[in-house]
Amino acid sequence: MPWFIKTERFTAQTLTLLPEQRQTYLAAHHEWIKVLRSEGVKVSSGFLVDAEQRPGGGGLLVLQADSFEAAKRLVEQDPMIVEGLVKWDLQQWIPVCGELMA
């Protein structure tokens, strides 16, 4: 089954939210991931940090799906996307070596 990677960055508007407001949306995102995993979807999500461990580099989601369209349909259910809080991009990833090879 193919792998897909979604990259994302907060919108300028999202960056103006208070941290506790952003946390509400992030909690919904985490719950969405838990539901997907409970349904058997292979998915991992996280955020990027710099050399000093400061966040701000965006987020990364890796998942398996039957097709690009199936992956896109899943990603479009992400609460962060539903609420318009991130700019995002989805690409299929074709591993050529390592542990995640099909």
Side-chain angles (χ1 to χ4, degrees):
M1 187 175 311
W3 287 98
F4 297 88
I5 296 180
K6 177 193 68 144
T7 54
E8 66 183 24
R9 286 196 173 274
F10 284 147
T11 65
Q13 182 178 359
T14 304
L15 293 172
T16 67
L17 296 174
L18 296 172
E20 54 269 15
Q21 292 172 307
R22 281 197 303 269
Q23 284 296 9
T24 300
Y25 295 113
L26 290 169
H29 168 80
H30 295 160
E31 186 59 33
W32 173 69
I33 294 294
K34 285 181 187 177
V35 169
L36 289 178
R37 291 175 56 86
S38 74
E39 294 172 350
V41 177
K42 289 188 179 180
V43 60
S44 292
S45 178
F47 61 95
L48 305 171
V49 298
D50 65 14
E52 280 75 44
Q53 299 297 302
R54 294 178 299 215
L60 181 71
L61 182 133
V62 179
L63 74 148
Q64 275 191 313
D66 290 329
S67 66
F68 186 90
E69 285 304 316
K72 184 177 178 201
R73 281 193 301 273
L74 278 176
V75 166
E76 289 174 333
Q77 296 172 24
D78 183 337
M80 300 295 287
I81 291 173
V82 170
E83 295 296 328
L85 301 173
V86 294
K87 294 180 182 180
W88 61 281
D89 186 46
L90 179 68
Q91 294 182 324
Q92 184 174 346
W93 177 54
I94 300 174
V96 294
C97 62
E99 294 181 21
L100 296 179
M101 295 197 45

